[in-house]
Amino acid sequence: MPPADRDWFDTLVGVASVFNTLVLTSLLVVMVPAVVAITRNLKQLRDLLDRAYSDLGPLTASANRIAANVEEISESVKDEVLQVKETVGQATRGLHNAVESTERRLRDLGALMDVAQGEAERIVLGTAAAAHSVRASASSALGDDDGEDLLDGDSPQRRSSRPQVRSRRKRAG
């Protein structure tokens, strides 16, 4: 059979088919080594990641332990600070109570001193009045007019330190 006449469309389809075959073959020739290289690189990357994971494993564990220790220390410090704060608060309250108690005692002592001073003044005045009365009585019993000077306000320091007593002879005559 003789070849049939081909029209231009069949020729174009044939040329396109050959062109497609050449392009696919060249892509296959280029892509197979690229896929092999990518696969090899992926395996190397996986090995590198495995080594990094095994190297970073202890570091990660250490970091986790350090973080746990820091958290524990932080909690401990927080507890200690709360205890110190509580102790300072108790000490402050105790100090305030001591100051109030001391102030109260000082007021009580002041009141007691006022009462004691009043009593001492009363006793001293009573004793002075009794002493004046005794001197005046003694002076009048002895017939001395100087006793009246004492009653009029002469101080006993103006008189001599010795008592002046008249003898009986002078009084009789």
Side-chain angles (χ1 to χ4, degrees), residues 3-163:
D5 279 338
R6 295 182 103 199
D7 63 349
W8 65 271
F9 183 74
D10 287 332
T11 307
L12 184 63
V13 168
V15 170
S17 179
V18 169
F19 181 73
N20 277 339
T21 304
L22 288 175
V23 168
L24 286 175
T25 305
S26 64
L27 280 176
L28 189 62
V29 168
V30 170
M31 291 302 285
V32 167
V35 169
V36 170
I38 289 174
T39 304
R40 189 178 32 211
N41 286 341
L42 284 176
K43 185 177 183 292
Q44 288 174 348
L45 181 61
R46 189 172 297 142
D47 291 342
L48 180 65
L49 287 176
D50 288 342
R51 275 193 319 232
Y53 180 76
S54 65
D55 289 343
L56 292 178
L59 291 176
T60 304
S62 293
N64 287 338
R65 282 193 308 272
I66 290 171
N69 288 341
V70 167
E71 185 176 340
E72 184 178 325
I73 289 170
S74 173
E75 289 296 322
S76 175
V77 167
K78 188 188 304 181
D79 291 342
E80 293 293 326
V81 167
L82 288 176
Q83 288 177 356
V84 166
K85 180 182 175 187
E86 195 172 293
T87 302
V88 167
Q90 289 174 351
T92 302
R93 285 189 296 276
L95 184 61
H96 286 298
N97 290 340
V99 167
E100 289 173 2
S101 175
T102 302
E103 287 175 348
R104 186 174 51 252
R105 287 181 180 177
L106 285 174
R107 282 192 303 271
D108 293 346
L109 181 63
L112 179 64
M113 293 302 290
D114 288 343
V115 169
Q117 183 178 357
E119 287 296 314
E121 287 173 356
R122 188 182 62 76
I123 290 170
V124 168
L125 288 177
T127 304
H132 282 301
S133 296
V134 167
R135 279 192 185 157
S137 296
S139 291
S140 19
L142 295 174
D144 190 9
D145 290 336
D146 290 333
E148 298 206 12
D149 290 340
L150 286 174
L151 290 176
D152 290 337
D154 265 355
S155 73
Q157 287 125 358
R158 289 186 182 172
R159 306 192 72 205
S160 106
S161 62
R162 286 180 164 183

